[in-house]
Amino acid sequence: MLYHGFYVKITPLENIQRERKDGSIVPCDGFQIEIFSDKSEEVTVDVFTAAVGFEILKDSVSDAEQFAMDVIDSEEKEYLRWIEEYMLKNG
């Protein structure tokens, strides 16, 4: 998926550990979300997970995509700053 110039790779994942309000740990299904600077996937910008019942409501790629877009929207300036720094160092 391409969003705001970032390439997003979404992979199904099992047993994502999340902590409930009562402190207990529960394994969840969900997705690993990787954000890259472009489609070549050479420069990883961010990697995070989205667990069903926590970050996303349903075990669906569309929910994971929406979550990824929300994260990119909130972190875009930081991602762009990081990419600029990376390019200056690795030119």
Side-chain angles (χ1 to χ4, degrees):
M1 173 178 96
L2 184 64
Y3 185 71
H4 284 223
F6 297 99
Y7 181 69
V8 181
K9 182 177 176 181
I10 298 174
T11 308
L13 196 61
E14 295 178 347
N15 296 318
I16 301 169
Q17 302 294 304
R18 289 295 184 263
E19 185 176 346
R20 291 183 177 154
K21 290 181 181 181
D22 67 4
S24 64
I25 303 296
V26 59
C28 304
D29 288 339
F31 299 88
Q32 176 172 293
I33 300 169
E34 298 170 272
I35 311 293
F36 299 96
S37 62
D38 60 28
K39 194 171 183 167
S40 71
E41 298 183 10
E42 289 180 28
V43 179
T44 304
V45 177
D46 201 358
V47 178
F48 52 92
T49 57
V52 176
F54 289 82
E55 293 84 14
I56 57 177
L57 293 177
K58 296 182 285 182
D59 191 4
S60 71
V61 172
S62 62
D63 275 20
E65 288 175 344
Q66 184 59 57
F67 182 64
M69 290 187 287
D70 292 345
V71 170
I72 290 170
D73 286 342
S74 68
E75 299 294 329
E76 186 171 11
K77 287 181 182 179
E78 185 65 23
Y79 288 170
L80 293 172
R81 185 192 62 74
W82 186 89
I83 290 169
E84 185 177 329
E85 283 181 16
Y86 177 87
M87 298 306 245
L88 288 172
K89 289 179 184 176
N90 300 293

